[in-house]
Amino acid sequence: MLEHRGTAKSISRETTFGADVGDRTRLRAILRTQAERVARDLARGELAARTVVLKLRFPPFETLTRSWTGVGQVALADEIFEAGAELFERAWREEGERPVRLLGLGVMNIGQPARQLKLGETFEADRLADTVNALRDRFGEESVRRATEIAEGGE
């Protein structure tokens, strides 16, 4: 738990590139990695969030942020990635798919989880996330990665 420091107001990950990146596949792979790390931080603190935030920086220092607040909370990497990828696609398209210098993904409106299953949903995704987090805790962050992270050298 994060009780000794108080509850975090936001959790995020950012990647600044040495050279501008305009490859959609690479950018989405990095978003996936960031979603995994943000979800892991939420899991460690036994927290969930209501808002997903995307940050894009274009040369020279033009920064934009976009956010999405859902009806319920998000805590799993797939949920965070899905919202972040949608924000990314929309914002990147609006900006003419210009190369990006910085890409960030985070969550805000953080609190205790109040998860209600959707119709037909099971806790399998939660159990999988717990197992992956346990493996990463024991063997290191790079011990379990998605294929897109390996193919793109996930940052």
Side-chain angles (χ1 to χ4, degrees):
M1 283 294 267
L2 301 172
E3 291 174 346
H4 63 283
R5 293 185 300 201
T7 301
K9 293 185 186 288
S10 67
I11 297 172
S12 64
R13 290 290 186 273
E14 292 182 355
T15 302
T16 302
F17 306 107
D20 301 338
V21 176
D23 178 358
R24 170 184 271 110
T25 303
R26 181 169 182 221
L27 292 169
R28 287 180 62 96
I30 291 164
L31 273 177
R32 168 61 76 179
T33 300
Q34 292 172 340
E36 295 279 347
R37 291 180 177 159
V38 168
R40 189 163 182 220
D41 288 346
L42 286 171
R44 281 185 180 141
E46 298 178 12
L47 299 168
R50 293 211 45 235
T51 303
V52 175
V53 180
L54 173 79
K55 180 177 179 180
L56 290 171
R57 179 168 295 146
F58 302 97
F61 267 115
E62 193 178 328
T63 304
L64 68 88
T65 58
R66 298 289 185 267
S67 64
W68 169 86
T69 301
V71 175
Q73 296 174 315
V74 295
L76 301 175
D78 287 345
E79 298 167 331
I80 296 166
F81 173 74
E82 183 179 311
E86 194 170 309
L87 290 168
F88 167 75
E89 291 295 342
R90 194 172 317 129
W92 202 47
R93 195 170 30 254
E94 288 170 5
E95 291 295 319
E97 298 185 2
R98 298 184 320 180
V100 174
R101 177 52 59 114
L102 176 143
L103 177 63
L105 185 63
V107 294
M108 354 181 328
N109 296 326
I110 296 173
Q112 296 301 310
R115 187 152 157 80
Q116 180 175 345
L117 293 176
K118 298 172 191 149
L119 186 61
E121 185 180 17
T122 67
F123 282 111
E124 289 303 313
D126 292 350
R127 285 194 281 274
L128 176 60
D130 291 344
T131 300
V132 168
N133 287 336
L135 287 168
R136 287 178 174 157
D137 286 343
R138 183 167 180 189
F139 298 109
E141 189 69 34
E142 301 297 315
S143 63
V144 179
R145 297 174 67 190
R146 291 181 183 261
T148 57
E149 295 175 290
I150 295 169
E152 297 301 323
E155 303 196 11

